[in-house]
PDB file of all heavy atoms in Angstrom:
ATOM      1  N   LEU A   1       3.380  -2.489  -7.050  1.00 98.00           N
ATOM      2  CA  LEU A   1       2.637  -2.342  -5.855  1.00 98.00           C
ATOM      3  C   LEU A   1       2.411  -3.720  -5.200  1.00 98.00           C
ATOM      4  O   LEU A   1       2.568  -4.028  -4.024  1.00 98.00           O
ATOM      5  CB  LEU A   1       1.391  -1.534  -5.965  1.00 98.00           C
ATOM      6  CG  LEU A   1       0.418  -1.414  -4.805  1.00 98.00           C
ATOM      7  CD1 LEU A   1       1.087  -0.583  -3.694  1.00 98.00           C
ATOM      8  CD2 LEU A   1      -0.831  -0.764  -5.277  1.00 98.00           C
ATOM      9  N   VAL A   2       1.892  -4.649  -6.031  1.00 98.00           N
ATOM     10  CA  VAL A   2       1.565  -6.006  -5.541  1.00 98.00           C
ATOM     11  C   VAL A   2       2.903  -6.679  -5.136  1.00 98.00           C
ATOM     12  O   VAL A   2       2.954  -7.295  -4.073  1.00 98.00           O
ATOM     13  CB  VAL A   2       0.713  -6.739  -6.590  1.00 98.00           C
ATOM     14  CG1 VAL A   2       0.718  -8.187  -6.211  1.00 98.00           C
ATOM     15  CG2 VAL A   2      -0.632  -6.167  -6.748  1.00 98.00           C
ATOM     16  N   ASP A   3       3.852  -6.797  -6.061  1.00 98.00           N
ATOM     17  CA  ASP A   3       5.054  -7.522  -5.891  1.00 98.00           C
ATOM     18  C   ASP A   3       5.840  -7.015  -4.604  1.00 98.00           C
ATOM     19  O   ASP A   3       6.334  -7.852  -3.865  1.00 98.00           O
ATOM     20  CB  ASP A   3       5.963  -7.523  -7.041  1.00 98.00           C
ATOM     21  CG  ASP A   3       5.369  -8.344  -8.207  1.00 98.00           C
ATOM     22  OD1 ASP A   3       4.512  -9.122  -7.975  1.00 98.00           O
ATOM     23  OD2 ASP A   3       5.896  -8.159  -9.340  1.00 98.00           O
ATOM     24  N   ASP A   4       5.933  -5.675  -4.422  1.00 98.00           N
ATOM     25  CA  ASP A   4       6.822  -5.156  -3.411  1.00 98.00           C
ATOM     26  C   ASP A   4       6.069  -4.918  -2.067  1.00 98.00           C
ATOM     27  O   ASP A   4       6.757  -4.889  -1.017  1.00 98.00           O
ATOM     28  CB  ASP A   4       7.373  -3.815  -3.900  1.00 98.00           C
ATOM     29  CG  ASP A   4       8.293  -3.909  -5.116  1.00 98.00           C
ATOM     30  OD1 ASP A   4       8.648  -5.067  -5.394  1.00 98.00           O
ATOM     31  OD2 ASP A   4       8.696  -2.917  -5.668  1.00 98.00           O
ATOM     32  N   VAL A   5       4.771  -4.819  -2.091  1.00 98.00           N
ATOM     33  CA  VAL A   5       4.060  -4.358  -0.874  1.00 98.00           C
ATOM     34  C   VAL A   5       2.921  -5.376  -0.553  1.00 98.00           C
ATOM     35  O   VAL A   5       2.952  -5.943   0.496  1.00 98.00           O
ATOM     36  CB  VAL A   5       3.571  -2.921  -0.927  1.00 98.00           C
ATOM     37  CG1 VAL A   5       2.859  -2.528   0.377  1.00 98.00           C
ATOM     38  CG2 VAL A   5       4.647  -1.958  -1.295  1.00 98.00           C
ATOM     39  N   LEU A   6       1.933  -5.421  -1.471  1.00 98.00           N
ATOM     40  CA  LEU A   6       0.707  -6.199  -1.076  1.00 98.00           C
ATOM     41  C   LEU A   6       0.940  -7.680  -0.923  1.00 98.00           C
ATOM     42  O   LEU A   6       0.390  -8.288   0.051  1.00 98.00           O
ATOM     43  CB  LEU A   6      -0.332  -5.877  -2.134  1.00 98.00           C
ATOM     44  CG  LEU A   6      -0.844  -4.396  -2.259  1.00 98.00           C
ATOM     45  CD1 LEU A   6      -1.944  -4.319  -3.290  1.00 98.00           C
ATOM     46  CD2 LEU A   6      -1.272  -3.892  -0.944  1.00 98.00           C
ATOM     47  N   ASP A   7       1.632  -8.289  -1.887  1.00 98.00           N
ATOM     48  CA  ASP A   7       1.826  -9.742  -1.724  1.00 98.00           C
ATOM     49  C   ASP A   7       2.598 -10.057  -0.451  1.00 98.00           C
ATOM     50  O   ASP A   7       2.276 -10.990   0.267  1.00 98.00           O
ATOM     51  CB  ASP A   7       2.554 -10.327  -2.946  1.00 98.00           C
ATOM     52  CG  ASP A   7       1.489 -10.838  -3.972  1.00 98.00           C
ATOM     53  OD1 ASP A   7       0.276 -10.796  -3.711  1.00 98.00           O
ATOM     54  OD2 ASP A   7       1.961 -11.280  -5.068  1.00 98.00           O
ATOM     55  N   PRO A   8       3.792  -9.376  -0.209  1.00 98.00           N
ATOM     56  CA  PRO A   8       4.475  -9.676   1.072  1.00 98.00           C
ATOM     57  C   PRO A   8       3.606  -9.435   2.320  1.00 98.00           C
ATOM     58  O   PRO A   8       3.706 -10.197   3.266  1.00 98.00           O
ATOM     59  CB  PRO A   8       5.663  -8.694   1.034  1.00 98.00           C
ATOM     60  CG  PRO A   8       5.882  -8.426  -0.390  1.00 98.00           C
ATOM     61  CD  PRO A   8       4.507  -8.353  -1.007  1.00 98.00           C
ATOM     62  N   LEU A   9       2.743  -8.413   2.261  1.00 98.00           N
ATOM     63  CA  LEU A   9       1.899  -8.099   3.402  1.00 98.00           C
ATOM     64  C   LEU A   9       0.892  -9.305   3.548  1.00 98.00           C
ATOM     65  O   LEU A   9       0.655  -9.723   4.655  1.00 98.00           O
ATOM     66  CB  LEU A   9       1.234  -6.784   3.185  1.00 98.00           C
ATOM     67  CG  LEU A   9       0.208  -6.349   4.242  1.00 98.00           C
ATOM     68  CD1 LEU A   9       0.845  -6.285   5.664  1.00 98.00           C
ATOM     69  CD2 LEU A   9      -0.458  -5.069   3.932  1.00 98.00           C
ATOM     70  N   ARG A  10       0.232  -9.690   2.426  1.00 98.00           N
ATOM     71  CA  ARG A  10      -0.676 -10.732   2.475  1.00 98.00           C
ATOM     72  C   ARG A  10      -0.080 -12.089   3.005  1.00 98.00           C
ATOM     73  O   ARG A  10      -0.660 -12.772   3.823  1.00 98.00           O
ATOM     74  CB  ARG A  10      -1.364 -10.929   1.158  1.00 98.00           C
ATOM     75  CG  ARG A  10      -2.107 -12.204   0.910  1.00 98.00           C
ATOM     76  CD  ARG A  10      -3.312 -12.439   1.882  1.00 98.00           C
ATOM     77  NE  ARG A  10      -4.090 -13.580   1.584  1.00 98.00           N
ATOM     78  CZ  ARG A  10      -3.756 -14.776   2.088  1.00 98.00           C
ATOM     79  NH1 ARG A  10      -2.615 -14.975   2.771  1.00 98.00           N
ATOM     80  NH2 ARG A  10      -4.458 -15.805   1.788  1.00 98.00           N
ATOM     81  N   LYS A  11       1.098 -12.357   2.585  1.00 98.00           N
ATOM     82  CA  LYS A  11       1.791 -13.569   3.048  1.00 98.00           C
ATOM     83  C   LYS A  11       2.055 -13.483   4.512  1.00 98.00           C
ATOM     84  O   LYS A  11       1.759 -14.506   5.278  1.00 98.00           O
ATOM     85  CB  LYS A  11       3.078 -13.678   2.283  1.00 98.00           C
ATOM     86  CG  LYS A  11       3.840 -14.989   2.665  1.00 98.00           C
ATOM     87  CD  LYS A  11       5.140 -15.123   1.890  1.00 98.00           C
ATOM     88  CE  LYS A  11       5.837 -16.438   2.338  1.00 98.00           C
ATOM     89  NZ  LYS A  11       7.100 -16.602   1.698  1.00 98.00           N
ATOM     90  N   ALA A  12       2.504 -12.371   4.981  1.00 98.00           N
ATOM     91  CA  ALA A  12       2.783 -12.185   6.453  1.00 98.00           C
ATOM     92  C   ALA A  12       1.433 -12.262   7.261  1.00 98.00           C
ATOM     93  O   ALA A  12       1.439 -12.749   8.393  1.00 98.00           O
ATOM     94  CB  ALA A  12       3.598 -10.968   6.752  1.00 98.00           C
ATOM     95  N   TRP A  13       0.466 -11.679   6.725  1.00 98.00           N
ATOM     96  CA  TRP A  13      -0.862 -11.535   7.346  1.00 98.00           C
ATOM     97  C   TRP A  13      -1.518 -12.924   7.479  1.00 98.00           C
ATOM     98  O   TRP A  13      -2.082 -13.306   8.533  1.00 98.00           O
ATOM     99  CB  TRP A  13      -1.801 -10.614   6.652  1.00 98.00           C
ATOM    100  CG  TRP A  13      -3.068 -10.352   7.256  1.00 98.00           C
ATOM    101  CD1 TRP A  13      -4.327 -10.718   6.886  1.00 98.00           C
ATOM    102  CD2 TRP A  13      -3.329  -9.579   8.435  1.00 98.00           C
ATOM    103  NE1 TRP A  13      -5.294 -10.267   7.700  1.00 98.00           N
ATOM    104  CE2 TRP A  13      -4.641  -9.522   8.688  1.00 98.00           C
ATOM    105  CE3 TRP A  13      -2.460  -8.863   9.351  1.00 98.00           C
ATOM    106  CZ2 TRP A  13      -5.220  -8.902   9.831  1.00 98.00           C
ATOM    107  CZ3 TRP A  13      -3.011  -8.256  10.425  1.00 98.00           C
ATOM    108  CH2 TRP A  13      -4.378  -8.231  10.699  1.00 98.00           C
ATOM    109  N   GLY A  14      -1.394 -13.805   6.491  1.00 97.00           N
ATOM    110  CA  GLY A  14      -1.828 -15.169   6.625  1.00 97.00           C
ATOM    111  C   GLY A  14      -3.318 -15.354   6.321  1.00 97.00           C
ATOM    112  O   GLY A  14      -3.779 -16.419   6.444  1.00 97.00           O
ATOM    113  N   ARG A  15      -4.014 -14.311   5.966  1.00 96.00           N
ATOM    114  CA  ARG A  15      -5.423 -14.410   5.672  1.00 96.00           C
ATOM    115  C   ARG A  15      -5.727 -13.469   4.507  1.00 96.00           C
ATOM    116  O   ARG A  15      -4.986 -12.466   4.247  1.00 96.00           O
ATOM    117  CB  ARG A  15      -6.197 -13.922   6.899  1.00 96.00           C
ATOM    118  CG  ARG A  15      -6.060 -14.820   8.088  1.00 96.00           C
ATOM    119  CD  ARG A  15      -6.952 -14.401   9.230  1.00 96.00           C
ATOM    120  NE  ARG A  15      -6.864 -13.052   9.577  1.00 96.00           N
ATOM    121  CZ  ARG A  15      -6.269 -12.551  10.759  1.00 96.00           C
ATOM    122  NH1 ARG A  15      -5.756 -13.370  11.607  1.00 96.00           N
ATOM    123  NH2 ARG A  15      -6.247 -11.272  11.017  1.00 96.00           N
ATOM    124  N   PRO A  16      -6.849 -13.631   3.867  1.00 94.00           N
ATOM    125  CA  PRO A  16      -7.228 -12.749   2.745  1.00 94.00           C
ATOM    126  C   PRO A  16      -7.363 -11.263   3.180  1.00 94.00           C
ATOM    127  O   PRO A  16      -7.739 -10.982   4.324  1.00 94.00           O
ATOM    128  CB  PRO A  16      -8.569 -13.306   2.206  1.00 94.00           C
ATOM    129  CG  PRO A  16      -8.538 -14.703   2.708  1.00 94.00           C
ATOM    130  CD  PRO A  16      -7.833 -14.685   4.004  1.00 94.00           C
ATOM    131  N   LEU A  17      -7.060 -10.374   2.194  1.00 96.00           N
ATOM    132  CA  LEU A  17      -7.259  -8.982   2.383  1.00 96.00           C
ATOM    133  C   LEU A  17      -8.117  -8.488   1.231  1.00 96.00           C
ATOM    134  O   LEU A  17      -7.980  -8.981   0.094  1.00 96.00           O
ATOM    135  CB  LEU A  17      -5.903  -8.256   2.326  1.00 96.00           C
ATOM    136  CG  LEU A  17      -4.879  -8.636   3.419  1.00 96.00           C
ATOM    137  CD1 LEU A  17      -3.523  -8.001   3.093  1.00 96.00           C
ATOM    138  CD2 LEU A  17      -5.401  -8.097   4.781  1.00 96.00           C
ATOM    139  N   VAL A  18      -8.991  -7.575   1.430  1.00 96.00           N
ATOM    140  CA  VAL A  18      -9.847  -6.969   0.347  1.00 96.00           C
ATOM    141  C   VAL A  18      -9.303  -5.708  -0.082  1.00 96.00           C
ATOM    142  O   VAL A  18      -8.991  -4.793   0.753  1.00 96.00           O
ATOM    143  CB  VAL A  18     -11.296  -6.828   0.933  1.00 96.00           C
ATOM    144  CG1 VAL A  18     -12.149  -6.178  -0.107  1.00 96.00           C
ATOM    145  CG2 VAL A  18     -11.879  -8.202   1.293  1.00 96.00           C
ATOM    146  N   VAL A  19      -9.164  -5.504  -1.352  1.00 97.00           N
ATOM    147  CA  VAL A  19      -8.768  -4.277  -1.920  1.00 97.00           C
ATOM    148  C   VAL A  19     -10.110  -3.532  -2.267  1.00 97.00           C
ATOM    149  O   VAL A  19     -10.836  -3.928  -3.182  1.00 97.00           O
ATOM    150  CB  VAL A  19      -7.914  -4.406  -3.169  1.00 97.00           C
ATOM    151  CG1 VAL A  19      -7.685  -3.010  -3.871  1.00 97.00           C
ATOM    152  CG2 VAL A  19      -6.592  -5.086  -2.929  1.00 97.00           C
ATOM    153  N   SER A  20     -10.398  -2.527  -1.458  1.00 95.00           N
ATOM    154  CA  SER A  20     -11.702  -1.762  -1.726  1.00 95.00           C
ATOM    155  C   SER A  20     -11.527  -0.685  -2.759  1.00 95.00           C
ATOM    156  O   SER A  20     -12.514  -0.324  -3.372  1.00 95.00           O
ATOM    157  CB  SER A  20     -12.141  -1.093  -0.414  1.00 95.00           C
ATOM    158  OG  SER A  20     -11.162  -0.285   0.131  1.00 95.00           O
ATOM    159  N   SER A  21     -10.320  -0.296  -3.020  1.00 97.00           N
ATOM    160  CA  SER A  21     -10.010   0.703  -4.110  1.00 97.00           C
ATOM    161  C   SER A  21      -8.578   0.560  -4.445  1.00 97.00           C
ATOM    162  O   SER A  21      -7.695   0.622  -3.652  1.00 97.00           O
ATOM    163  CB  SER A  21     -10.357   2.121  -3.675  1.00 97.00           C
ATOM    164  OG  SER A  21     -10.118   2.974  -4.776  1.00 97.00           O
ATOM    165  N   GLY A  22      -8.287   0.307  -5.755  1.00 98.00           N
ATOM    166  CA  GLY A  22      -7.012   0.248  -6.312  1.00 98.00           C
ATOM    167  C   GLY A  22      -6.801   1.383  -7.367  1.00 98.00           C
ATOM    168  O   GLY A  22      -6.955   2.499  -7.039  1.00 98.00           O
ATOM    169  N   TYR A  23      -6.599   0.926  -8.630  1.00 98.00           N
ATOM    170  CA  TYR A  23      -6.466   1.850  -9.707  1.00 98.00           C
ATOM    171  C   TYR A  23      -7.811   2.598  -9.926  1.00 98.00           C
ATOM    172  O   TYR A  23      -8.895   1.990  -9.856  1.00 98.00           O
ATOM    173  CB  TYR A  23      -6.088   1.141 -11.047  1.00 98.00           C
ATOM    174  CG  TYR A  23      -6.111   2.127 -12.193  1.00 98.00           C
ATOM    175  CD1 TYR A  23      -5.112   3.077 -12.327  1.00 98.00           C
ATOM    176  CD2 TYR A  23      -7.128   2.015 -13.114  1.00 98.00           C
ATOM    177  CE1 TYR A  23      -5.178   3.939 -13.444  1.00 98.00           C
ATOM    178  CE2 TYR A  23      -7.209   2.855 -14.182  1.00 98.00           C
ATOM    179  CZ  TYR A  23      -6.250   3.844 -14.354  1.00 98.00           C
ATOM    180  OH  TYR A  23      -6.259   4.717 -15.370  1.00 98.00           O
ATOM    181  N   ARG A  24      -7.691   3.946 -10.201  1.00 98.00           N
ATOM    182  CA  ARG A  24      -8.853   4.768 -10.539  1.00 98.00           C
ATOM    183  C   ARG A  24      -8.442   5.620 -11.722  1.00 98.00           C
ATOM    184  O   ARG A  24      -7.519   6.403 -11.572  1.00 98.00           O
ATOM    185  CB  ARG A  24      -9.219   5.681  -9.419  1.00 98.00           C
ATOM    186  CG  ARG A  24      -9.666   5.013  -8.141  1.00 98.00           C
ATOM    187  CD  ARG A  24     -10.043   6.148  -7.181  1.00 98.00           C
ATOM    188  NE  ARG A  24     -10.121   5.700  -5.773  1.00 98.00           N
ATOM    189  CZ  ARG A  24      -9.752   6.433  -4.696  1.00 98.00           C
ATOM    190  NH1 ARG A  24      -9.371   7.683  -4.877  1.00 98.00           N
ATOM    191  NH2 ARG A  24      -9.849   5.955  -3.477  1.00 98.00           N
ATOM    192  N   CYS A  25      -9.162   5.537 -12.808  1.00 98.00           N
ATOM    193  CA  CYS A  25      -8.970   6.506 -13.852  1.00 98.00           C
ATOM    194  C   CYS A  25      -9.406   7.820 -13.421  1.00 98.00           C
ATOM    195  O   CYS A  25     -10.068   7.900 -12.359  1.00 98.00           O
ATOM    196  CB  CYS A  25      -9.733   5.992 -15.165  1.00 98.00           C
ATOM    197  SG  CYS A  25     -11.563   6.086 -14.987  1.00 98.00           S
ATOM    198  N   PRO A  26      -8.992   8.966 -14.044  1.00 98.00           N
ATOM    199  CA  PRO A  26      -9.391  10.288 -13.669  1.00 98.00           C
ATOM    200  C   PRO A  26     -10.946  10.396 -13.418  1.00 98.00           C
ATOM    201  O   PRO A  26     -11.325  11.029 -12.432  1.00 98.00           O
ATOM    202  CB  PRO A  26      -8.843  11.149 -14.657  1.00 98.00           C
ATOM    203  CG  PRO A  26      -7.635  10.427 -15.163  1.00 98.00           C
ATOM    204  CD  PRO A  26      -8.050   8.969 -15.198  1.00 98.00           C
ATOM    205  N   ALA A  27     -11.671   9.866 -14.267  1.00 98.00           N
ATOM    206  CA  ALA A  27     -13.196  10.024 -14.179  1.00 98.00           C
ATOM    207  C   ALA A  27     -13.687   9.277 -12.926  1.00 98.00           C
ATOM    208  O   ALA A  27     -14.506   9.860 -12.164  1.00 98.00           O
ATOM    209  CB  ALA A  27     -13.893   9.456 -15.459  1.00 98.00           C
ATOM    210  N   LEU A  28     -13.210   8.109 -12.660  1.00 98.00           N
ATOM    211  CA  LEU A  28     -13.584   7.405 -11.453  1.00 98.00           C
ATOM    212  C   LEU A  28     -13.080   8.120 -10.204  1.00 98.00           C
ATOM    213  O   LEU A  28     -13.801   8.231  -9.211  1.00 98.00           O
ATOM    214  CB  LEU A  28     -13.083   5.942 -11.498  1.00 98.00           C
ATOM    215  CG  LEU A  28     -13.388   5.094 -10.223  1.00 98.00           C
ATOM    216  CD1 LEU A  28     -14.898   5.036  -9.957  1.00 98.00           C
ATOM    217  CD2 LEU A  28     -12.762   3.680 -10.419  1.00 98.00           C
ATOM    218  N   ASN A  29     -11.856   8.565 -10.241  1.00 98.00           N
ATOM    219  CA  ASN A  29     -11.299   9.275  -9.095  1.00 98.00           C
ATOM    220  C   ASN A  29     -12.169  10.482  -8.761  1.00 98.00           C
ATOM    221  O   ASN A  29     -12.483  10.742  -7.574  1.00 98.00           O
ATOM    222  CB  ASN A  29      -9.816   9.679  -9.401  1.00 98.00           C
ATOM    223  CG  ASN A  29      -9.178  10.200  -8.126  1.00 98.00           C
ATOM    224  OD1 ASN A  29      -8.961   9.382  -7.217  1.00 98.00           O
ATOM    225  ND2 ASN A  29      -8.749  11.450  -8.071  1.00 98.00           N
ATOM    226  N   ALA A  30     -12.582  11.240  -9.779  1.00 98.00           N
ATOM    227  CA  ALA A  30     -13.477  12.436  -9.551  1.00 98.00           C
ATOM    228  C   ALA A  30     -14.807  11.971  -8.988  1.00 98.00           C
ATOM    229  O   ALA A  30     -15.394  12.572  -8.090  1.00 98.00           O
ATOM    230  CB  ALA A  30     -13.670  13.191 -10.870  1.00 98.00           C
ATOM    231  N   ALA A  31     -15.322  10.868  -9.531  1.00 98.00           N
ATOM    232  CA  ALA A  31     -16.708  10.384  -9.114  1.00 98.00           C
ATOM    233  C   ALA A  31     -16.663  10.000  -7.602  1.00 98.00           C
ATOM    234  O   ALA A  31     -17.695  10.070  -6.926  1.00 98.00           O
ATOM    235  CB  ALA A  31     -17.051   9.136  -9.991  1.00 98.00           C
ATOM    236  N   VAL A  32     -15.501   9.487  -7.117  1.00 97.00           N
ATOM    237  CA  VAL A  32     -15.482   9.082  -5.714  1.00 97.00           C
ATOM    238  C   VAL A  32     -14.944  10.129  -4.806  1.00 97.00           C
ATOM    239  O   VAL A  32     -14.798  10.004  -3.611  1.00 97.00           O
ATOM    240  CB  VAL A  32     -14.708   7.730  -5.494  1.00 97.00           C
ATOM    241  CG1 VAL A  32     -15.342   6.612  -6.261  1.00 97.00           C
ATOM    242  CG2 VAL A  32     -13.208   7.952  -5.837  1.00 97.00           C
ATOM    243  N   GLY A  33     -14.650  11.311  -5.337  1.00 96.00           N
ATOM    244  CA  GLY A  33     -14.155  12.460  -4.570  1.00 96.00           C
ATOM    245  C   GLY A  33     -12.705  12.357  -4.202  1.00 96.00           C
ATOM    246  O   GLY A  33     -12.298  12.831  -3.135  1.00 96.00           O
ATOM    247  N   GLY A  34     -11.876  11.596  -4.962  1.00 96.00           N
ATOM    248  CA  GLY A  34     -10.494  11.434  -4.648  1.00 96.00           C
ATOM    249  C   GLY A  34      -9.691  12.676  -4.881  1.00 96.00           C
ATOM    250  O   GLY A  34     -10.060  13.634  -5.618  1.00 96.00           O
ATOM    251  N   SER A  35      -8.527  12.738  -4.297  1.00 95.00           N
ATOM    252  CA  SER A  35      -7.653  13.878  -4.454  1.00 95.00           C
ATOM    253  C   SER A  35      -7.187  14.036  -5.930  1.00 95.00           C
ATOM    254  O   SER A  35      -7.015  13.016  -6.667  1.00 95.00           O
ATOM    255  CB  SER A  35      -6.330  13.655  -3.634  1.00 95.00           C
ATOM    256  OG  SER A  35      -5.322  14.494  -4.019  1.00 95.00           O
ATOM    257  N   ARG A  36      -7.044  15.244  -6.392  1.00 95.00           N
ATOM    258  CA  ARG A  36      -6.617  15.527  -7.769  1.00 95.00           C
ATOM    259  C   ARG A  36      -5.216  14.978  -8.004  1.00 95.00           C
ATOM    260  O   ARG A  36      -4.828  14.844  -9.171  1.00 95.00           O
ATOM    261  CB  ARG A  36      -6.689  17.038  -8.078  1.00 95.00           C
ATOM    262  CG  ARG A  36      -8.112  17.494  -8.223  1.00 95.00           C
ATOM    263  CD  ARG A  36      -8.172  18.967  -8.570  1.00 95.00           C
ATOM    264  NE  ARG A  36      -7.801  19.696  -7.350  1.00 95.00           N
ATOM    265  CZ  ARG A  36      -7.044  20.840  -7.412  1.00 95.00           C
ATOM    266  NH1 ARG A  36      -6.600  21.257  -8.544  1.00 95.00           N
ATOM    267  NH2 ARG A  36      -6.710  21.402  -6.280  1.00 95.00           N
ATOM    268  N   THR A  37      -4.464  14.723  -7.029  1.00 95.00           N
ATOM    269  CA  THR A  37      -3.082  14.154  -7.164  1.00 95.00           C
ATOM    270  C   THR A  37      -2.988  12.707  -6.647  1.00 95.00           C
ATOM    271  O   THR A  37      -1.856  12.291  -6.355  1.00 95.00           O
ATOM    272  CB  THR A  37      -2.072  15.065  -6.406  1.00 95.00           C
ATOM    273  OG1 THR A  37      -2.352  15.125  -5.064  1.00 95.00           O
ATOM    274  CG2 THR A  37      -2.053  16.432  -7.062  1.00 95.00           C
ATOM    275  N   SER A  38      -4.057  12.049  -6.526  1.00 97.00           N
ATOM    276  CA  SER A  38      -4.132  10.713  -5.948  1.00 97.00           C
ATOM    277  C   SER A  38      -3.176   9.736  -6.643  1.00 97.00           C
ATOM    278  O   SER A  38      -3.167   9.620  -7.917  1.00 97.00           O
ATOM    279  CB  SER A  38      -5.600  10.178  -6.000  1.00 97.00           C
ATOM    280  OG  SER A  38      -5.629   8.813  -5.584  1.00 97.00           O
TER     281      SER A  38
END
């Protein structure tokens, strides 16, 4: 994800980007109300 999408996007954007949510274990995903197939 980083190598193919996020790093190229950040490079082109030219400024920092904040990741507000990345990996979520199932318990965390449930805690934040994420999709069961997230």
Side-chain angles (χ1 to χ4, degrees):
L1 175 65
V2 169
D3 289 345
D4 295 351
V5 183
L6 297 181
D7 269 355
L9 178 59
R10 167 57 179 84
K11 181 178 180 182
W13 186 248
R15 298 184 307 250
L17 298 170
V18 174
V19 175
S20 57
S21 184
Y23 172 73
R24 297 182 200 145
C25 68
L28 177 57
N29 192 63
V32 300
S35 164
R36 288 180 289 139
T37 59
S38 174

